[in-house]
Amino acid sequence: MAARELRRMRAGNMTLRRGLFLAHRYAGLGIALFLMVAAVTGTLLTFRDRADAMLNPGLFRVSAGPVRPAPELVARVLADHPTWRVVRFALQPHSGEALRAVMVRTPDAAPDDVFIDPLDGGVVGTRSRQAGLDRAHAMQLMYDLHATLALGTAGRLFMGVAAVCWLALTVAGLVITLPRRRPLLAAWQPAWRLNRQMLARRPWPELHRVIGLWTIPFMIVMALTSVAMNFFDEAFAPVATFLSPPRAGSPFADDAPPPAIHAGPLLGYAAAEAIARTWAAHVHPDMLPIALTDDPARDLYGVSFTPGGTALYTGFGRITCHIDRHDGHIAWIDDPHLDGAGTLAIRALYPLHSGQVAGWPTMGCVLAIGIATGFMIVSGVLPWLRRQCRPARSDRRA
């Protein structure tokens, strides 16, 4: 009886393993093309700003020299173009690099990128923020392909389903490598090493297994964040805020009351930056301002800070000091550490997925994972295609 029961358990395990293997294979084949698009575009987007500057030196590069404060530069642009309206602009001008701002140039139009010479405030060039096949809009096209296949909401939801399949086949791939004998860890160790004999006979499956095992923690993080970002409004954000509600009183909440109407002149960008710097000097002395937003709908300026003024979204992202545009009082501090775990989870998504969470080392890691994902797709699809071609070759020979 014991032997029969043991054989029955082994047969059940083999059936489960076979089912997981088939699910891993056909889920991978089903999303291979879309996952390859995401891997290639994600790899290119890892260094998006640098790639954008290399493609468009006429917009990003200017003559070197002493730079002026960013609020002064933007004020000069608005003086020359009084109908333009600021959405946001960078606060860290650098010699030889154009200061980048987002502005609405015509009423009821979409915002455009405006590149400003930090020497004198002259406009170097402008471009729309839409995707396109030309060099100026190539990186935005890469982003749209990566996030939505350039198909809008329908494409985003489809990529969310593909991300769920990616997560499932990744977990299934891990399970089917587990050994049948005990002790588990000792018996599992050979699966993590390349077998030279198998590498000579079946190189693609051998490399597929070993590379997959060594990268699986990072693959799971990328898949989980992909699922959360693609279903952000539909599932992730509501669940996160329900389990851990943020602070009350935010002017950005859906149920926030409309702002009071103020009369009189605006405070100005330079004064708003000075107020925010004074606040940060007491609360976050290690941080520097990186960007300023102008929000007339809520009648607020927002000055964002990062450690050392880096443009990367390290940690849980930026901390923003929101200031009334008229009287200069601090209306709200957007700091994820002041809210619950739900806000921290929401703010961690983009830094984790982009690899910016710990700076250049983790960005390099995301770059490597993108390359590994592309290799996993190729090494999984090619052996299957060869097997499909074998019957046809046998028929031709006969």
Side-chain angles (χ1 to χ4, degrees):
M1 290 293 295
R4 184 184 303 173
E5 191 66 27
L6 182 59
R7 287 194 298 269
R8 187 180 302 169
M9 291 177 59
R10 288 178 177 175
N13 290 336
M14 291 180 66
T15 302
L16 176 62
R17 188 180 296 270
R18 178 65 177 172
L20 288 174
F21 177 79
L22 292 175
H24 178 81
R25 171 191 289 175
Y26 291 110
L29 291 172
I31 66 169
L33 176 61
F34 310 106
L35 195 56
M36 179 62 81
V37 171
V40 172
T41 54
T43 300
L44 295 173
L45 289 170
T46 304
F47 302 97
R48 176 179 179 175
D49 290 341
R50 288 178 176 266
D52 201 3
M54 291 176 62
L55 288 172
N56 303 283
L59 292 175
F60 284 84
R61 303 302 179 195
V62 295
S63 300
V67 301
R68 297 181 179 275
E72 179 183 336
L73 297 171
V74 173
R76 291 192 178 193
V77 173
L78 294 178
D80 294 336
H81 305 276
T83 61
W84 291 12
R85 181 176 66 80
V86 171
V87 177
R88 64 178 177 273
F89 59 90
L91 282 173
Q92 295 289 340
H94 299 283
S95 176
E97 299 178 11
L99 182 77
R100 190 170 175 179
V102 179
M103 297 186 180
V104 177
R105 294 191 291 161
T106 57
D108 302 323
D112 294 333
D113 285 334
V114 178
F115 297 86
I116 306 170
D117 192 329
L119 301 180
D120 57 10
V123 175
V124 177
T126 63
R127 69 177 180 187
S128 70
R129 297 174 60 80
Q130 303 299 316
L133 297 175
D134 58 326
R135 290 189 303 172
H137 305 91
M139 296 312 297
Q140 184 61 43
L141 177 61
M142 290 294 104
Y143 177 82
D144 288 355
L145 286 172
H146 181 77
T148 68
L149 295 176
L151 296 175
T153 301
R156 173 178 62 82
L157 296 177
F158 179 85
M159 291 300 281
V161 174
V164 172
C165 294
W166 182 23
L167 179 61
L169 72 89
T170 302
V171 175
L174 173 66
V175 173
I176 61 180
T177 65
L178 295 174
R180 299 185 181 93
R181 63 184 186 275
R182 299 293 186 269
L184 179 65
L185 293 180
W188 199 22
Q189 287 181 6
W192 294 73
R193 299 192 297 265
L194 286 173
N195 185 305
R196 293 184 179 180
Q197 294 181 350
M198 294 300 295
L199 186 62
R201 291 172 52 195
R202 303 172 62 211
W204 289 115
E206 187 71 9
L207 291 170
H208 186 89
R209 185 196 74 248
V210 173
I211 293 177
L213 281 173
W214 281 102
T215 59
I216 207 165
F218 308 100
M219 295 282 188
I220 290 176
V221 170
M222 297 300 289
L224 279 173
T225 53
S226 297
V227 173
M229 293 172 75
N230 281 291
F231 296 117
F232 184 82
D233 292 327
E234 293 80 4
F236 184 78
V239 171
T241 53
F242 174 78
L243 295 176
S244 179
R247 288 171 293 154
S250 170
F252 303 94
D254 294 336
D255 57 351
I261 299 176
H262 293 280
L266 295 176
L267 186 67
Y269 301 135
E273 182 186 2
I275 292 172
R277 280 180 177 271
T278 301
W279 166 82
H282 293 88
V283 182
H284 299 286
D286 60 323
M287 291 192 170
L288 293 175
I290 187 64
L292 188 148
T293 60
D294 191 346
D295 188 353
R298 299 177 180 85
D299 214 11
L300 296 174
Y301 294 127
V303 182
S304 298
F305 290 81
T306 61
T310 176
L312 301 179
Y313 281 78
T314 57
F316 292 97
R318 300 173 178 182
I319 295 175
T320 304
C321 177
H322 294 281
I323 301 164
D324 187 281
R325 298 199 309 163
H326 296 274
D327 60 23
H329 81 272
I330 297 177
W332 184 254
I333 300 298
D334 182 12
D335 184 346
H337 299 88
L338 300 178
D339 289 321
T343 301
L344 288 175
I346 290 172
R347 293 287 293 272
L349 281 181
Y350 180 75
L352 281 172
H353 191 76
S354 66
Q356 298 184 29
V357 63
W360 296 110
T362 46
M363 291 175 67
C365 183
V366 167
L367 176 63
I369 292 302
I371 297 172
T373 301
F375 177 83
M376 293 292 288
I377 296 168
V378 172
S379 60
V381 171
L382 279 183
W384 179 82
L385 287 176
R386 288 180 178 178
R387 284 194 297 271
Q388 304 310 304
C389 294
R390 282 175 188 170
R393 291 176 181 174
S394 300
D395 292 343
R396 286 196 299 270
R397 289 173 183 172

